[in-house]
Amino acid sequence: MAAVLFDFSGTLFRIESTESWLRAVLAEADVLLPEPELIRAARDLETAGALPGGAFPSGRLPDAVAAVWDIRDKSAELHRAAYTGLSRQVPLPDPALHDALYDRHMTPAAWQPYPDTAEVLGALRERGVAVGVVSNIGWDLRPIFRDHGLDPYVGAYVLSYEHGIQKPDPRLFATACEALGTDPRDALMVGDDRRADGGAAALGCGVHFVDHLPVSRRPDSLRPVLDLIR
């Protein structure tokens, strides 16, 4: 393999918990909620699927969200509209908190790399294997990689909202391979979504899946990638 393409959320990084997300925003806004209300609001936000990179919505989508849900990663505007629409199903003390929640999830503090992310990316660089990040997302994740010291390992970022194309569309993977100067047949796609990330197989890429688990429960799922590229 000449290149490895990685998904972002649930593959290299994991978003913080919904409770942590809400606590951080309330603290930043200097808004106090009684603990039982805070816990209830966090639970309701999780049920609504309001945290990007977190749990999917478990109930019926609001009409406005349903209209854009399947294409939410094609633009920054659609992504924000979808997730703030979900958040607004949950009453909060100040309506401005819904946009603050969305803004929080785009910060480096909201994301944590999996324990073996740096090790695997570093080993790939030592072996001369190119690395790309291919993500369905509505915002620029590059600052996350820079803040966590992982940007030097990445040769190309191919983000759906910048191209108006979402995985599993093969064109997104083809764009990444072209940016890395790699034939798709010499590339491996690593992700946690069998439908979205599995789209790379249409180009002839190898595909390897990992489980979308909390960081504490997935210490070494990326290490098998190093065996696959030998």
Side-chain angles (χ1 to χ4, degrees):
M1 292 291 177
V4 180
L5 311 178
F6 288 96
D7 174 52
F8 167 57
S9 174
T11 300
L12 294 177
F13 282 81
R14 175 69 187 235
I15 191 71
E16 65 186 330
S17 71
T18 308
E19 183 181 326
S20 171
W21 178 53
L22 178 59
R23 286 186 186 278
V25 168
L26 292 174
E28 177 68 23
D30 198 23
V31 173
L32 296 177
L33 270 184
E35 189 67 11
E37 291 184 27
L38 189 153
I39 296 299
R40 182 168 57 251
R43 184 184 63 240
D44 291 346
L45 286 165
E46 182 155 357
T47 299
L51 174 58
F56 280 105
S58 61
R60 181 180 178 275
L61 295 174
D63 290 343
V65 174
V68 302
W69 184 250
D70 289 340
I71 57 170
R72 65 190 181 281
D73 295 315
K74 287 190 174 183
S75 77
E77 294 77 16
L78 289 170
H79 195 269
R80 179 181 284 271
Y83 283 102
T84 56
L86 293 173
S87 174
R88 288 189 176 97
Q89 294 182 93
V90 180
L92 294 175
D94 183 346
L97 290 170
H98 297 289
D99 280 311
L101 283 169
Y102 185 85
D103 293 340
R104 161 74 184 184
H105 103 274
M106 296 186 288
T107 65
W111 294 89
Q112 185 177 356
Y114 282 95
D116 54 349
T117 293
E119 173 192 340
V120 170
L121 294 182
L124 291 173
R125 183 170 68 175
E126 289 177 1
R127 297 182 188 185
V129 177
V131 169
V133 173
V134 185
S135 178
N136 280 351
I137 198 165
W139 49 277
D140 186 6
L141 53 72
R142 294 173 184 85
I144 309 297
F145 282 78
R146 288 196 292 268
D147 190 82
H148 288 277
L150 299 175
D151 180 65
Y153 301 126
V154 182
Y157 295 93
V158 179
L159 312 180
S160 61
Y161 85 103
E162 293 182 337
H163 298 273
I165 303 169
Q166 297 180 169
K167 297 181 292 186
D169 191 320
R171 291 177 293 171
L172 210 60
F173 306 104
T175 299
C177 289
E178 182 178 358
L180 295 173
T182 301
D183 188 305
R185 293 168 294 183
D186 296 326
L188 175 69
M189 177 66 206
V190 181
D192 66 300
D193 187 321
R194 280 165 170 72
R195 177 179 177 275
D197 299 312
L203 293 175
C205 296
V207 181
H208 177 70
F209 296 109
V210 295
D211 293 323
H212 187 124
L213 293 171
V215 167
S216 61
R217 292 173 53 196
R218 214 195 76 190
D220 56 8
S221 288
L222 292 172
R223 290 194 181 106
V225 170
L226 301 177
D227 295 324
L228 292 172
I229 64 166
R230 287 177 180 171

